[in-house]
Amino acid sequence: MSTWDIATRRPTRSPVRRLLGYDERTPGPLCRRELPGPKVVCIIELGPPLGVFEHGRPEPSRFRGGFVAGVDDRSTLTAHDGWQRGIQIDLSPMAVRDLFGVAMHELTRTIVDLDALLPAKLRSLPEELQGLPSWEARFDRVERWLAGRLSVRAADPRVVCALACIEDTGGNVDVAALCGQLGVSRAHLARLFREHVGVTPKLYARLVRFDRLTTRLAGGTEALAPLAADLGYYDQAHLARDVRAFAQMTPTELGAHVAGGPLAM
């Protein structure tokens, strides 16, 4: 039987979308499919390094101390030997340049060792967090780190506006109309998104819509045809194609997956 110790905190800074502390223990090795979404995921390991099956590699990579996974449009398999413990920080792509000093496209569809992105004075952060007595103390320390980096520079207001529009509409946005609203060409908006988001506006919108879909499916059983219409898919077949492309499963399998535990999403 699996056991969980889960802690969450509402982030105090808007580019940070979720702070999650977790300690999972299972009777034996466990493999899990992690779904893509409109976010960057930073994992700080407080236990044995999680195995991550990077695309195209038959053996898992392990990152002592943690890793950062950029925006991706494919699911990723992870595995542990019966225990994992750490802190997950879900970030807006807009946070990456301030936090790690790299353009977002350098992390797209990529997993990078956290140690390679942190300045030298912060590379002991995982060990420091391990030594703290509670999840609340660890969250306090993580938020101090984030606050010290995320206030460095102002984000590009055009990208901020575009992301807000895409997210507020659940991914149902006309990119040409969005360009007109922002006063930029499609080519220029694509360049801005490559730098600050890592994927095109259209793909980001699809990921936002898919993220809404996983949330709705996790909330209970819904008929797929009206759900597809409500979320802005052309029809149920369109929904099923996106699920297959992003999650490599059927909508029914996706519903069972996102209902499967605290870390299923």
Side-chain angles (χ1 to χ4, degrees), residues 84-123:
Q84 66 163 334
R85 181 171 179 253
I87 293 176
Q88 178 172 328
I89 309 166
D90 291 346
L91 300 162
S92 164
M94 292 295 291
V96 165
R97 180 175 288 277
D98 279 352
L99 197 55
F100 301 119
V102 298
M104 187 55 234
H105 67 82
E106 295 182 37
L107 296 181
T108 302
R109 302 184 182 92
T110 301
I111 299 168
V112 179
D113 195 322
L114 179 61
D115 195 59
L117 295 173
L118 290 176
K121 65 181 180 180
L122 279 172
R123 288 175 188 162

PDB file of all heavy atoms in Angstrom, residues 84-123:
ATOM      1  N   GLN A  84      10.209   8.441  -2.836  1.00  0.00           N
ATOM      2  CA  GLN A  84      10.639   9.723  -3.379  1.00  0.00           C
ATOM      3  C   GLN A  84      10.196  10.827  -2.425  1.00  0.00           C
ATOM      4  O   GLN A  84       9.126  10.750  -1.808  1.00  0.00           O
ATOM      5  CB  GLN A  84      10.089   9.965  -4.787  1.00  0.00           C
ATOM      6  CG  GLN A  84       8.584  10.131  -4.873  1.00  0.00           C
ATOM      7  CD  GLN A  84       8.159  10.753  -6.185  1.00  0.00           C
ATOM      8  OE1 GLN A  84       8.910  11.487  -6.839  1.00  0.00           O
ATOM      9  NE2 GLN A  84       6.932  10.455  -6.616  1.00  0.00           N
ATOM     10  N   ARG A  85      11.032  11.843  -2.313  1.00  0.00           N
ATOM     11  CA  ARG A  85      10.749  12.950  -1.394  1.00  0.00           C
ATOM     12  C   ARG A  85      11.354  14.214  -1.981  1.00  0.00           C
ATOM     13  O   ARG A  85      12.509  14.214  -2.422  1.00  0.00           O
ATOM     14  CB  ARG A  85      11.372  12.657  -0.025  1.00  0.00           C
ATOM     15  CG  ARG A  85      11.138  13.706   1.062  1.00  0.00           C
ATOM     16  CD  ARG A  85      11.637  13.143   2.381  1.00  0.00           C
ATOM     17  NE  ARG A  85      11.481  14.050   3.487  1.00  0.00           N
ATOM     18  CZ  ARG A  85      12.484  14.699   4.076  1.00  0.00           C
ATOM     19  NH1 ARG A  85      13.742  14.534   3.643  1.00  0.00           N
ATOM     20  NH2 ARG A  85      12.267  15.496   5.090  1.00  0.00           N
ATOM     21  N   GLY A  86      10.567  15.270  -2.030  1.00  0.00           N
ATOM     22  CA  GLY A  86      11.102  16.493  -2.603  1.00  0.00           C
ATOM     23  C   GLY A  86      10.111  17.631  -2.589  1.00  0.00           C
ATOM     24  O   GLY A  86       9.034  17.547  -1.979  1.00  0.00           O
ATOM     25  N   ILE A  87      10.479  18.694  -3.266  1.00  0.00           N
ATOM     26  CA  ILE A  87       9.620  19.870  -3.429  1.00  0.00           C
ATOM     27  C   ILE A  87       9.470  20.126  -4.919  1.00  0.00           C
ATOM     28  O   ILE A  87      10.459  20.164  -5.658  1.00  0.00           O
ATOM     29  CB  ILE A  87      10.215  21.101  -2.733  1.00  0.00           C
ATOM     30  CG1 ILE A  87      10.210  20.903  -1.215  1.00  0.00           C
ATOM     31  CG2 ILE A  87       9.431  22.365  -3.104  1.00  0.00           C
ATOM     32  CD1 ILE A  87      10.859  22.033  -0.440  1.00  0.00           C
ATOM     33  N   GLN A  88       8.231  20.268  -5.366  1.00  0.00           N
ATOM     34  CA  GLN A  88       7.942  20.616  -6.758  1.00  0.00           C
ATOM     35  C   GLN A  88       7.480  22.059  -6.824  1.00  0.00           C
ATOM     36  O   GLN A  88       6.584  22.476  -6.092  1.00  0.00           O
ATOM     37  CB  GLN A  88       6.867  19.698  -7.338  1.00  0.00           C
ATOM     38  CG  GLN A  88       6.489  20.052  -8.775  1.00  0.00           C
ATOM     39  CD  GLN A  88       5.573  19.032  -9.414  1.00  0.00           C
ATOM     40  OE1 GLN A  88       5.642  17.845  -9.121  1.00  0.00           O
ATOM     41  NE2 GLN A  88       4.701  19.491 -10.305  1.00  0.00           N
ATOM     42  N   ILE A  89       8.112  22.820  -7.730  1.00  0.00           N
ATOM     43  CA  ILE A  89       7.750  24.213  -7.950  1.00  0.00           C
ATOM     44  C   ILE A  89       7.276  24.335  -9.388  1.00  0.00           C
ATOM     45  O   ILE A  89       8.050  24.113 -10.321  1.00  0.00           O
ATOM     46  CB  ILE A  89       8.952  25.154  -7.718  1.00  0.00           C
ATOM     47  CG1 ILE A  89       9.611  24.883  -6.373  1.00  0.00           C
ATOM     48  CG2 ILE A  89       8.515  26.611  -7.821  1.00  0.00           C
ATOM     49  CD1 ILE A  89      10.984  25.511  -6.219  1.00  0.00           C
ATOM     50  N   ASP A  90       6.005  24.641  -9.580  1.00  0.00           N
ATOM     51  CA  ASP A  90       5.471  24.874 -10.920  1.00  0.00           C
ATOM     52  C   ASP A  90       5.569  26.361 -11.225  1.00  0.00           C
ATOM     53  O   ASP A  90       5.097  27.204 -10.450  1.00  0.00           O
ATOM     54  CB  ASP A  90       4.011  24.426 -11.005  1.00  0.00           C
ATOM     55  CG  ASP A  90       3.866  22.915 -10.913  1.00  0.00           C
ATOM     56  OD1 ASP A  90       4.879  22.204 -11.053  1.00  0.00           O
ATOM     57  OD2 ASP A  90       2.731  22.450 -10.686  1.00  0.00           O
ATOM     58  N   LEU A  91       6.192  26.687 -12.363  1.00  0.00           N
ATOM     59  CA  LEU A  91       6.503  28.070 -12.713  1.00  0.00           C
ATOM     60  C   LEU A  91       5.875  28.465 -14.040  1.00  0.00           C
ATOM     61  O   LEU A  91       5.786  27.651 -14.960  1.00  0.00           O
ATOM     62  CB  LEU A  91       8.020  28.251 -12.832  1.00  0.00           C
ATOM     63  CG  LEU A  91       8.864  27.960 -11.597  1.00  0.00           C
ATOM     64  CD1 LEU A  91      10.313  27.751 -11.993  1.00  0.00           C
ATOM     65  CD2 LEU A  91       8.742  29.109 -10.603  1.00  0.00           C
ATOM     66  N   SER A  92       5.492  29.729 -14.146  1.00  0.00           N
ATOM     67  CA  SER A  92       5.197  30.287 -15.455  1.00  0.00           C
ATOM     68  C   SER A  92       6.486  30.301 -16.264  1.00  0.00           C
ATOM     69  O   SER A  92       7.568  30.561 -15.723  1.00  0.00           O
ATOM     70  CB  SER A  92       4.665  31.715 -15.309  1.00  0.00           C
ATOM     71  OG  SER A  92       4.720  32.402 -16.552  1.00  0.00           O
ATOM     72  N   PRO A  93       6.412  30.051 -17.577  1.00  0.00           N
ATOM     73  CA  PRO A  93       7.629  30.164 -18.385  1.00  0.00           C
ATOM     74  C   PRO A  93       8.295  31.521 -18.262  1.00  0.00           C
ATOM     75  O   PRO A  93       9.518  31.640 -18.410  1.00  0.00           O
ATOM     76  CB  PRO A  93       7.120  29.922 -19.816  1.00  0.00           C
ATOM     77  CG  PRO A  93       5.880  29.111 -19.650  1.00  0.00           C
ATOM     78  CD  PRO A  93       5.254  29.599 -18.377  1.00  0.00           C
ATOM     79  N   MET A  94       7.526  32.559 -17.951  1.00  0.00           N
ATOM     80  CA  MET A  94       8.078  33.901 -17.826  1.00  0.00           C
ATOM     81  C   MET A  94       9.061  34.031 -16.674  1.00  0.00           C
ATOM     82  O   MET A  94       9.830  34.989 -16.605  1.00  0.00           O
ATOM     83  CB  MET A  94       6.950  34.917 -17.641  1.00  0.00           C
ATOM     84  CG  MET A  94       6.060  35.092 -18.857  1.00  0.00           C
ATOM     85  SD  MET A  94       6.934  35.797 -20.267  1.00  0.00           S
ATOM     86  CE  MET A  94       7.231  37.453 -19.672  1.00  0.00           C
ATOM     87  N   ALA A  95       9.059  33.078 -15.744  1.00  0.00           N
ATOM     88  CA  ALA A  95       9.948  33.154 -14.587  1.00  0.00           C
ATOM     89  C   ALA A  95      11.361  32.663 -14.881  1.00  0.00           C
ATOM     90  O   ALA A  95      12.286  32.932 -14.121  1.00  0.00           O
ATOM     91  CB  ALA A  95       9.359  32.339 -13.432  1.00  0.00           C
ATOM     92  N   VAL A  96      11.530  31.939 -15.987  1.00  0.00           N
ATOM     93  CA  VAL A  96      12.786  31.209 -16.213  1.00  0.00           C
ATOM     94  C   VAL A  96      13.980  32.136 -16.373  1.00  0.00           C
ATOM     95  O   VAL A  96      15.053  31.899 -15.803  1.00  0.00           O
ATOM     96  CB  VAL A  96      12.637  30.273 -17.424  1.00  0.00           C
ATOM     97  CG1 VAL A  96      13.984  29.783 -17.918  1.00  0.00           C
ATOM     98  CG2 VAL A  96      11.765  29.094 -17.031  1.00  0.00           C
ATOM     99  N   ARG A  97      13.839  33.211 -17.146  1.00  0.00           N
ATOM    100  CA  ARG A  97      14.986  34.085 -17.386  1.00  0.00           C
ATOM    101  C   ARG A  97      15.473  34.712 -16.088  1.00  0.00           C
ATOM    102  O   ARG A  97      16.671  34.758 -15.804  1.00  0.00           O
ATOM    103  CB  ARG A  97      14.640  35.169 -18.416  1.00  0.00           C
ATOM    104  CG  ARG A  97      15.798  36.100 -18.710  1.00  0.00           C
ATOM    105  CD  ARG A  97      15.465  37.079 -19.823  1.00  0.00           C
ATOM    106  NE  ARG A  97      15.410  36.420 -21.106  1.00  0.00           N
ATOM    107  CZ  ARG A  97      16.494  36.174 -21.843  1.00  0.00           C
ATOM    108  NH1 ARG A  97      17.690  36.494 -21.405  1.00  0.00           N
ATOM    109  NH2 ARG A  97      16.367  35.598 -23.007  1.00  0.00           N
ATOM    110  N   ASP A  98      14.546  35.219 -15.282  1.00  0.00           N
ATOM    111  CA  ASP A  98      14.943  35.811 -14.007  1.00  0.00           C
ATOM    112  C   ASP A  98      15.543  34.779 -13.066  1.00  0.00           C
ATOM    113  O   ASP A  98      16.551  35.032 -12.408  1.00  0.00           O
ATOM    114  CB  ASP A  98      13.734  36.467 -13.330  1.00  0.00           C
ATOM    115  CG  ASP A  98      13.432  37.850 -13.892  1.00  0.00           C
ATOM    116  OD1 ASP A  98      14.238  38.353 -14.689  1.00  0.00           O
ATOM    117  OD2 ASP A  98      12.389  38.407 -13.532  1.00  0.00           O
ATOM    118  N   LEU A  99      14.909  33.620 -12.993  1.00  0.00           N
ATOM    119  CA  LEU A  99      15.285  32.640 -11.986  1.00  0.00           C
ATOM    120  C   LEU A  99      16.589  31.931 -12.325  1.00  0.00           C
ATOM    121  O   LEU A  99      17.434  31.703 -11.447  1.00  0.00           O
ATOM    122  CB  LEU A  99      14.154  31.621 -11.824  1.00  0.00           C
ATOM    123  CG  LEU A  99      14.157  30.754 -10.572  1.00  0.00           C
ATOM    124  CD1 LEU A  99      14.208  31.601  -9.315  1.00  0.00           C
ATOM    125  CD2 LEU A  99      12.916  29.866 -10.562  1.00  0.00           C
ATOM    126  N   PHE A 100      16.769  31.604 -13.598  1.00  0.00           N
ATOM    127  CA  PHE A 100      17.922  30.788 -13.984  1.00  0.00           C
ATOM    128  C   PHE A 100      18.868  31.465 -14.970  1.00  0.00           C
ATOM    129  O   PHE A 100      19.915  30.903 -15.303  1.00  0.00           O
ATOM    130  CB  PHE A 100      17.444  29.456 -14.566  1.00  0.00           C
ATOM    131  CG  PHE A 100      16.615  28.645 -13.621  1.00  0.00           C
ATOM    132  CD1 PHE A 100      15.301  28.315 -13.919  1.00  0.00           C
ATOM    133  CD2 PHE A 100      17.130  28.218 -12.402  1.00  0.00           C
ATOM    134  CE1 PHE A 100      14.528  27.565 -13.047  1.00  0.00           C
ATOM    135  CE2 PHE A 100      16.364  27.479 -11.520  1.00  0.00           C
ATOM    136  CZ  PHE A 100      15.058  27.148 -11.840  1.00  0.00           C
ATOM    137  N   GLY A 101      18.477  32.646 -15.475  1.00  0.00           N
ATOM    138  CA  GLY A 101      19.382  33.375 -16.357  1.00  0.00           C
ATOM    139  C   GLY A 101      19.516  32.790 -17.748  1.00  0.00           C
ATOM    140  O   GLY A 101      20.536  33.009 -18.413  1.00  0.00           O
ATOM    141  N   VAL A 102      18.516  32.040 -18.227  1.00  0.00           N
ATOM    142  CA  VAL A 102      18.565  31.469 -19.572  1.00  0.00           C
ATOM    143  C   VAL A 102      17.282  31.810 -20.313  1.00  0.00           C
ATOM    144  O   VAL A 102      16.239  32.057 -19.704  1.00  0.00           O
ATOM    145  CB  VAL A 102      18.748  29.934 -19.538  1.00  0.00           C
ATOM    146  CG1 VAL A 102      20.061  29.562 -18.887  1.00  0.00           C
ATOM    147  CG2 VAL A 102      17.581  29.251 -18.836  1.00  0.00           C
ATOM    148  N   ALA A 103      17.379  31.847 -21.638  1.00  0.00           N
ATOM    149  CA  ALA A 103      16.186  32.028 -22.463  1.00  0.00           C
ATOM    150  C   ALA A 103      15.348  30.762 -22.399  1.00  0.00           C
ATOM    151  O   ALA A 103      15.872  29.652 -22.322  1.00  0.00           O
ATOM    152  CB  ALA A 103      16.585  32.330 -23.904  1.00  0.00           C
ATOM    153  N   MET A 104      14.027  30.931 -22.473  1.00  0.00           N
ATOM    154  CA  MET A 104      13.135  29.799 -22.277  1.00  0.00           C
ATOM    155  C   MET A 104      13.351  28.714 -23.328  1.00  0.00           C
ATOM    156  O   MET A 104      13.235  27.525 -23.036  1.00  0.00           O
ATOM    157  CB  MET A 104      11.686  30.311 -22.283  1.00  0.00           C
ATOM    158  CG  MET A 104      10.641  29.283 -21.930  1.00  0.00           C
ATOM    159  SD  MET A 104      10.900  28.447 -20.368  1.00  0.00           S
ATOM    160  CE  MET A 104      10.826  26.772 -20.940  1.00  0.00           C
ATOM    161  N   HIS A 105      13.695  29.103 -24.563  1.00  0.00           N
ATOM    162  CA  HIS A 105      13.837  28.075 -25.606  1.00  0.00           C
ATOM    163  C   HIS A 105      14.987  27.115 -25.308  1.00  0.00           C
ATOM    164  O   HIS A 105      15.035  26.010 -25.839  1.00  0.00           O
ATOM    165  CB  HIS A 105      14.006  28.712 -26.989  1.00  0.00           C
ATOM    166  CG  HIS A 105      15.291  29.473 -27.165  1.00  0.00           C
ATOM    167  ND1 HIS A 105      16.482  28.855 -27.472  1.00  0.00           N
ATOM    168  CD2 HIS A 105      15.555  30.795 -27.080  1.00  0.00           C
ATOM    169  CE1 HIS A 105      17.431  29.765 -27.580  1.00  0.00           C
ATOM    170  NE2 HIS A 105      16.908  30.942 -27.342  1.00  0.00           N
ATOM    171  N   GLU A 106      15.915  27.503 -24.430  1.00  0.00           N
ATOM    172  CA  GLU A 106      17.011  26.616 -24.062  1.00  0.00           C
ATOM    173  C   GLU A 106      16.537  25.451 -23.197  1.00  0.00           C
ATOM    174  O   GLU A 106      17.252  24.451 -23.060  1.00  0.00           O
ATOM    175  CB  GLU A 106      18.110  27.398 -23.338  1.00  0.00           C
ATOM    176  CG  GLU A 106      18.797  28.444 -24.195  1.00  0.00           C
ATOM    177  CD  GLU A 106      19.906  29.164 -23.459  1.00  0.00           C
ATOM    178  OE1 GLU A 106      20.616  28.510 -22.672  1.00  0.00           O
ATOM    179  OE2 GLU A 106      20.056  30.375 -23.661  1.00  0.00           O
ATOM    180  N   LEU A 107      15.349  25.573 -22.606  1.00  0.00           N
ATOM    181  CA  LEU A 107      14.816  24.509 -21.754  1.00  0.00           C
ATOM    182  C   LEU A 107      13.660  23.752 -22.399  1.00  0.00           C
ATOM    183  O   LEU A 107      13.214  22.741 -21.861  1.00  0.00           O
ATOM    184  CB  LEU A 107      14.332  25.096 -20.421  1.00  0.00           C
ATOM    185  CG  LEU A 107      15.379  25.730 -19.507  1.00  0.00           C
ATOM    186  CD1 LEU A 107      14.727  26.231 -18.230  1.00  0.00           C
ATOM    187  CD2 LEU A 107      16.491  24.751 -19.184  1.00  0.00           C
ATOM    188  N   THR A 108      13.157  24.227 -23.523  1.00  0.00           N
ATOM    189  CA  THR A 108      11.998  23.592 -24.142  1.00  0.00           C
ATOM    190  C   THR A 108      12.286  22.137 -24.487  1.00  0.00           C
ATOM    191  O   THR A 108      13.318  21.816 -25.064  1.00  0.00           O
ATOM    192  CB  THR A 108      11.600  24.355 -25.420  1.00  0.00           C
ATOM    193  OG1 THR A 108      11.328  25.714 -25.075  1.00  0.00           O
ATOM    194  CG2 THR A 108      10.359  23.746 -26.056  1.00  0.00           C
ATOM    195  N   ARG A 109      11.355  21.252 -24.085  1.00  0.00           N
ATOM    196  CA  ARG A 109      11.453  19.806 -24.329  1.00  0.00           C
ATOM    197  C   ARG A 109      12.768  19.233 -23.789  1.00  0.00           C
ATOM    198  O   ARG A 109      13.296  18.253 -24.320  1.00  0.00           O
ATOM    199  CB  ARG A 109      11.307  19.491 -25.819  1.00  0.00           C
ATOM    200  CG  ARG A 109       9.987  19.981 -26.432  1.00  0.00           C
ATOM    201  CD  ARG A 109       9.844  19.555 -27.887  1.00  0.00           C
ATOM    202  NE  ARG A 109       8.597  20.071 -28.455  1.00  0.00           N
ATOM    203  CZ  ARG A 109       8.505  21.238 -29.087  1.00  0.00           C
ATOM    204  NH1 ARG A 109       9.568  21.993 -29.238  1.00  0.00           N
ATOM    205  NH2 ARG A 109       7.345  21.643 -29.576  1.00  0.00           N
ATOM    206  N   THR A 110      13.262  19.834 -22.723  1.00  0.00           N
ATOM    207  CA  THR A 110      14.558  19.441 -22.170  1.00  0.00           C
ATOM    208  C   THR A 110      14.461  19.354 -20.657  1.00  0.00           C
ATOM    209  O   THR A 110      13.676  20.050 -20.017  1.00  0.00           O
ATOM    210  CB  THR A 110      15.634  20.486 -22.553  1.00  0.00           C
ATOM    211  OG1 THR A 110      15.717  20.577 -23.973  1.00  0.00           O
ATOM    212  CG2 THR A 110      17.001  20.121 -22.007  1.00  0.00           C
ATOM    213  N   ILE A 111      15.291  18.479 -20.075  1.00  0.00           N
ATOM    214  CA  ILE A 111      15.421  18.368 -18.627  1.00  0.00           C
ATOM    215  C   ILE A 111      16.873  18.680 -18.274  1.00  0.00           C
ATOM    216  O   ILE A 111      17.793  18.085 -18.845  1.00  0.00           O
ATOM    217  CB  ILE A 111      15.022  16.968 -18.147  1.00  0.00           C
ATOM    218  CG1 ILE A 111      13.545  16.701 -18.503  1.00  0.00           C
ATOM    219  CG2 ILE A 111      15.234  16.820 -16.647  1.00  0.00           C
ATOM    220  CD1 ILE A 111      13.123  15.272 -18.334  1.00  0.00           C
ATOM    221  N   VAL A 112      17.060  19.613 -17.367  1.00  0.00           N
ATOM    222  CA  VAL A 112      18.402  20.112 -17.044  1.00  0.00           C
ATOM    223  C   VAL A 112      18.654  19.945 -15.553  1.00  0.00           C
ATOM    224  O   VAL A 112      17.770  20.197 -14.719  1.00  0.00           O
ATOM    225  CB  VAL A 112      18.545  21.601 -17.448  1.00  0.00           C
ATOM    226  CG1 VAL A 112      19.931  22.124 -17.088  1.00  0.00           C
ATOM    227  CG2 VAL A 112      18.275  21.777 -18.938  1.00  0.00           C
ATOM    228  N   ASP A 113      19.855  19.523 -15.234  1.00  0.00           N
ATOM    229  CA  ASP A 113      20.278  19.385 -13.842  1.00  0.00           C
ATOM    230  C   ASP A 113      20.134  20.734 -13.128  1.00  0.00           C
ATOM    231  O   ASP A 113      20.641  21.759 -13.601  1.00  0.00           O
ATOM    232  CB  ASP A 113      21.740  18.925 -13.818  1.00  0.00           C
ATOM    233  CG  ASP A 113      22.183  18.412 -12.471  1.00  0.00           C
ATOM    234  OD1 ASP A 113      21.771  18.989 -11.453  1.00  0.00           O
ATOM    235  OD2 ASP A 113      22.957  17.442 -12.434  1.00  0.00           O
ATOM    236  N   LEU A 114      19.439  20.748 -12.000  1.00  0.00           N
ATOM    237  CA  LEU A 114      19.253  21.982 -11.249  1.00  0.00           C
ATOM    238  C   LEU A 114      20.588  22.601 -10.867  1.00  0.00           C
ATOM    239  O   LEU A 114      20.758  23.830 -10.882  1.00  0.00           O
ATOM    240  CB  LEU A 114      18.413  21.707  -9.988  1.00  0.00           C
ATOM    241  CG  LEU A 114      18.136  22.890  -9.066  1.00  0.00           C
ATOM    242  CD1 LEU A 114      17.352  23.977  -9.780  1.00  0.00           C
ATOM    243  CD2 LEU A 114      17.375  22.439  -7.815  1.00  0.00           C
ATOM    244  N   ASP A 115      21.555  21.770 -10.548  1.00  0.00           N
ATOM    245  CA  ASP A 115      22.873  22.255 -10.152  1.00  0.00           C
ATOM    246  C   ASP A 115      23.524  23.103 -11.244  1.00  0.00           C
ATOM    247  O   ASP A 115      24.273  24.036 -10.957  1.00  0.00           O
ATOM    248  CB  ASP A 115      23.773  21.064  -9.811  1.00  0.00           C
ATOM    249  CG  ASP A 115      25.022  21.471  -9.064  1.00  0.00           C
ATOM    250  OD1 ASP A 115      24.891  22.058  -7.977  1.00  0.00           O
ATOM    251  OD2 ASP A 115      26.133  21.222  -9.570  1.00  0.00           O
ATOM    252  N   ALA A 116      23.215  22.788 -12.506  1.00  0.00           N
ATOM    253  CA  ALA A 116      23.803  23.533 -13.621  1.00  0.00           C
ATOM    254  C   ALA A 116      23.159  24.903 -13.805  1.00  0.00           C
ATOM    255  O   ALA A 116      23.736  25.773 -14.466  1.00  0.00           O
ATOM    256  CB  ALA A 116      23.670  22.727 -14.912  1.00  0.00           C
ATOM    257  N   LEU A 117      21.977  25.107 -13.233  1.00  0.00           N
ATOM    258  CA  LEU A 117      21.253  26.365 -13.403  1.00  0.00           C
ATOM    259  C   LEU A 117      21.364  27.286 -12.203  1.00  0.00           C
ATOM    260  O   LEU A 117      21.154  28.499 -12.335  1.00  0.00           O
ATOM    261  CB  LEU A 117      19.772  26.072 -13.687  1.00  0.00           C
ATOM    262  CG  LEU A 117      19.476  25.343 -15.002  1.00  0.00           C
ATOM    263  CD1 LEU A 117      17.999  24.963 -15.063  1.00  0.00           C
ATOM    264  CD2 LEU A 117      19.840  26.205 -16.200  1.00  0.00           C
ATOM    265  N   LEU A 118      21.683  26.737 -11.034  1.00  0.00           N
ATOM    266  CA  LEU A 118      21.788  27.558  -9.836  1.00  0.00           C
ATOM    267  C   LEU A 118      23.159  28.217  -9.754  1.00  0.00           C
ATOM    268  O   LEU A 118      24.166  27.619 -10.148  1.00  0.00           O
ATOM    269  CB  LEU A 118      21.579  26.704  -8.582  1.00  0.00           C
ATOM    270  CG  LEU A 118      20.175  26.164  -8.322  1.00  0.00           C
ATOM    271  CD1 LEU A 118      20.184  25.272  -7.087  1.00  0.00           C
ATOM    272  CD2 LEU A 118      19.165  27.295  -8.153  1.00  0.00           C
ATOM    273  N   PRO A 119      23.227  29.447  -9.231  1.00  0.00           N
ATOM    274  CA  PRO A 119      24.535  30.038  -8.964  1.00  0.00           C
ATOM    275  C   PRO A 119      25.261  29.232  -7.897  1.00  0.00           C
ATOM    276  O   PRO A 119      24.638  28.521  -7.093  1.00  0.00           O
ATOM    277  CB  PRO A 119      24.202  31.448  -8.476  1.00  0.00           C
ATOM    278  CG  PRO A 119      22.782  31.382  -8.016  1.00  0.00           C
ATOM    279  CD  PRO A 119      22.122  30.333  -8.848  1.00  0.00           C
ATOM    280  N   ALA A 120      26.590  29.345  -7.867  1.00  0.00           N
ATOM    281  CA  ALA A 120      27.407  28.513  -6.978  1.00  0.00           C
ATOM    282  C   ALA A 120      26.960  28.612  -5.524  1.00  0.00           C
ATOM    283  O   ALA A 120      26.918  27.614  -4.804  1.00  0.00           O
ATOM    284  CB  ALA A 120      28.876  28.899  -7.120  1.00  0.00           C
ATOM    285  N   LYS A 121      26.577  29.805  -5.073  1.00  0.00           N
ATOM    286  CA  LYS A 121      26.221  29.998  -3.663  1.00  0.00           C
ATOM    287  C   LYS A 121      24.918  29.313  -3.279  1.00  0.00           C
ATOM    288  O   LYS A 121      24.608  29.172  -2.086  1.00  0.00           O
ATOM    289  CB  LYS A 121      26.146  31.487  -3.335  1.00  0.00           C
ATOM    290  CG  LYS A 121      25.038  32.237  -4.058  1.00  0.00           C
ATOM    291  CD  LYS A 121      25.046  33.705  -3.683  1.00  0.00           C
ATOM    292  CE  LYS A 121      23.935  34.481  -4.392  1.00  0.00           C
ATOM    293  NZ  LYS A 121      23.949  35.927  -4.017  1.00  0.00           N
ATOM    294  N   LEU A 122      24.125  28.860  -4.289  1.00  0.00           N
ATOM    295  CA  LEU A 122      22.844  28.216  -4.000  1.00  0.00           C
ATOM    296  C   LEU A 122      22.856  26.716  -4.271  1.00  0.00           C
ATOM    297  O   LEU A 122      21.835  26.056  -4.110  1.00  0.00           O
ATOM    298  CB  LEU A 122      21.733  28.866  -4.822  1.00  0.00           C
ATOM    299  CG  LEU A 122      21.149  30.174  -4.278  1.00  0.00           C
ATOM    300  CD1 LEU A 122      20.209  30.783  -5.283  1.00  0.00           C
ATOM    301  CD2 LEU A 122      20.447  29.951  -2.949  1.00  0.00           C
ATOM    302  N   ARG A 123      23.985  26.165  -4.661  1.00  0.00           N
ATOM    303  CA  ARG A 123      24.009  24.751  -5.025  1.00  0.00           C
ATOM    304  C   ARG A 123      23.863  23.819  -3.820  1.00  0.00           C
ATOM    305  O   ARG A 123      23.646  22.629  -3.985  1.00  0.00           O
ATOM    306  CB  ARG A 123      25.285  24.441  -5.810  1.00  0.00           C
ATOM    307  CG  ARG A 123      25.226  25.039  -7.208  1.00  0.00           C
ATOM    308  CD  ARG A 123      26.495  24.881  -7.985  1.00  0.00           C
ATOM    309  NE  ARG A 123      26.401  25.650  -9.228  1.00  0.00           N
ATOM    310  CZ  ARG A 123      27.436  26.000  -9.972  1.00  0.00           C
ATOM    311  NH1 ARG A 123      28.668  25.651  -9.590  1.00  0.00           N
ATOM    312  NH2 ARG A 123      27.269  26.699 -11.068  1.00  0.00           N
TER     313      ARG A 123
END
